């Protein structure tokens, strides 16, 4: 299945023109021709089957043959707020794998122990789009701008989702699959390489976040976040 991403398409369209970037990929790289079949995704759950009418390398014209809405819609909503790693490649790896496994929303959070204080959303969104296309998904995860840990917690104070925080400080904790129930909304906090500060942990607990453990091993930030995606996905099979 040749998959192309375009936010501009709508279910009532009869014809569509691919962007210059996607046209170039279709015609110059994949060498598709008139009559070839392709599939488009809009990032909102729409999967479009189309035929190439005019294989132009800058403005390929398609005719829409079939539309499937809510394609593989998820039964849950996972929002992971995670501190971006010092090595941005590790954070990009998480975004790629989380998109493939299944995640609906990501917020980079800047914590007291964070070594990276900013991220470039344009680059990160390209990683997400590539992973969405590769894994044949029709929904694009929402990547929010970076925000401080404290402000994130305040913004989510009225959110009725199940809220958990994974940290390494000793204390009574449950495992993630003991806290979550299937087909719900979840907010999960994952800290930086140096973990959350005690002040941040206290703030989260005060606001109703439940402390959880991801196992006995101490995991890297991106591994902890990816492991959480896997557990939530398995819970909602």
């Amino acid at each position: 299945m040749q998959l192309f991403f375009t936010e501009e398409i709508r279910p009532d369209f009869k014809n569509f023109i691919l962007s210059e970037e996607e046209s170039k990929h279709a015609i110059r790289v994949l060498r598709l021709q008139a009559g070839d079949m392709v599939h488009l995704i809009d990032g909102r759950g729409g999967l479009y089957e189309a035929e190439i009418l005019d294989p132009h390398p800058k403005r390929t014209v398609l005719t829409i043959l079939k539309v499937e809405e809510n394609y593989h819609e998820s039964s849950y909503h996972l929002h992971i707020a995670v501190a971006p790693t010092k090595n941005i490649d590790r954070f990009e790896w998480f975004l790629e794998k989380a998109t493939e496994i299944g995640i609906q929303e990501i917020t980079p959070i800047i914590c007291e122990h964070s070594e990276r204080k900013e991220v470039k959303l344009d680059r990160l969104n390209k990683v997400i789009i590539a992973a969405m296309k590769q894994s044949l998904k029709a929904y694009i995860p929402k990547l929010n701008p970076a925000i401080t840990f404290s402000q994130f917690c305040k913004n989510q104070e009225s959110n009725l989702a199940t809220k958990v925080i994974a940290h390494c400080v000793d204390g009574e904790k449950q495992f993630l699959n003991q806290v979550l129930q299937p087909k719900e909304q979840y907010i999960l906090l994952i800290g930086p390489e140096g973990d959350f500060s005690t002040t941040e942990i206290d703030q989260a607990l005060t606001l109703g976040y439940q402390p959880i453990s991801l196992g006995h091993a101490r995991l890297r930030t991106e591994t902890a976040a990816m492991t959480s995606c896997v557990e939530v996905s398995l819970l909602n099979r």
Side-chain angles (χ1 to χ4, degrees):
M1 181 187 292
Q2 301 295 346
L3 202 60
F4 298 89
F5 171 63
T6 174
E7 294 179 289
E8 293 80 15
I9 196 167
R10 294 293 184 271
D12 59 340
F13 284 9
K14 302 302 181 184
N15 294 292
F16 188 74
I17 299 176
L18 284 178
S19 67
E20 182 173 347
E21 180 180 359
E22 291 285 44
S23 293
K24 180 180 179 181
H25 182 69
I27 308 308
R28 297 296 192 204
V29 178
L30 298 177
R31 300 189 181 280
L32 299 179
Q33 301 176 359
D36 284 342
M37 305 299 295
V38 297
H39 288 82
L40 314 176
I41 50 175
D42 57 17
R44 303 180 301 276
L47 176 68
Y48 303 74
E49 183 179 333
E51 179 183 348
I52 295 178
L53 294 182
D54 180 10
H56 194 285
K58 290 188 177 181
R59 50 186 308 278
T60 295
V61 180
L62 309 170
T63 182
I64 310 301
L65 304 177
K66 181 181 177 182
V67 181
E68 184 175 350
E69 298 186 66
N70 304 317
Y71 181 73
H72 290 176
E73 183 178 13
S74 177
S75 63
Y76 63 93
H77 188 279
L78 173 60
H79 183 178
I80 290 187
V82 54
T85 52
K86 180 180 180 181
N87 182 341
I88 196 62
D89 290 347
R90 295 183 182 275
F91 193 67
E92 291 177 2
W93 176 87
F94 157 67
L95 292 176
E96 178 184 78
K97 302 311 174 188
T99 301
E100 293 176 12
I101 294 166
I103 192 171
Q104 289 68 46
E105 192 169 357
I106 308 106
T107 300
I109 50 173
I110 309 305
C111 305
E112 289 186 29
H113 297 159
S114 290
E115 296 188 72
R116 176 175 290 277
K117 303 295 185 181
E118 60 182 22
V119 294
K120 296 180 179 179
L121 294 186
D122 287 346
R123 175 180 172 84
L124 298 181
N125 271 312
K126 288 181 179 179
V127 172
I128 290 174
I129 291 171
M132 176 182 61
K133 292 165 63 175
Q134 187 277 329
S135 56
L136 304 181
K137 294 184 179 296
Y139 288 91
I140 184 170
K142 181 182 180 183
L143 178 62
N144 297 313
I147 190 173
T148 65
F149 173 90
S150 179
Q151 190 60 55
F152 177 85
C153 289
K154 290 178 181 177
N155 290 350
Q156 300 299 325
E157 192 168 355
S158 61
N159 193 316
L160 298 179
T162 300
K163 303 173 188 176
V164 298
I165 178 171
H167 64 79
C168 300
V169 177
D170 291 338
E172 185 176 346
K173 304 173 189 174
Q174 291 180 292
F175 291 112
L176 185 58
N177 60 8
Q178 295 175 312
V179 174
L180 305 184
Q181 297 296 320
K183 300 181 180 180
E184 291 188 350
Q185 297 186 16
Y186 322 106
I187 296 177
L188 175 58
L189 303 178
I190 301 289
E193 285 90 336
D195 201 6
F196 293 114
S197 69
T198 55
T199 300
E200 290 168 336
I201 294 172
D202 289 343
Q203 179 184 2
L205 297 181
T206 299
L207 293 174
Y209 286 80
Q210 301 178 62
I212 58 103
S213 170
L214 296 174
H216 302 295
R218 177 172 291 182
L219 305 177
R220 290 181 179 273
T221 294
E222 71 278 9
T223 309
M226 189 273 290
T227 299
S228 302
C229 288
V230 173
E231 288 203 35
V232 171
S233 177
L234 292 175
L235 177 69
N236 285 277
R237 273 189 174 181

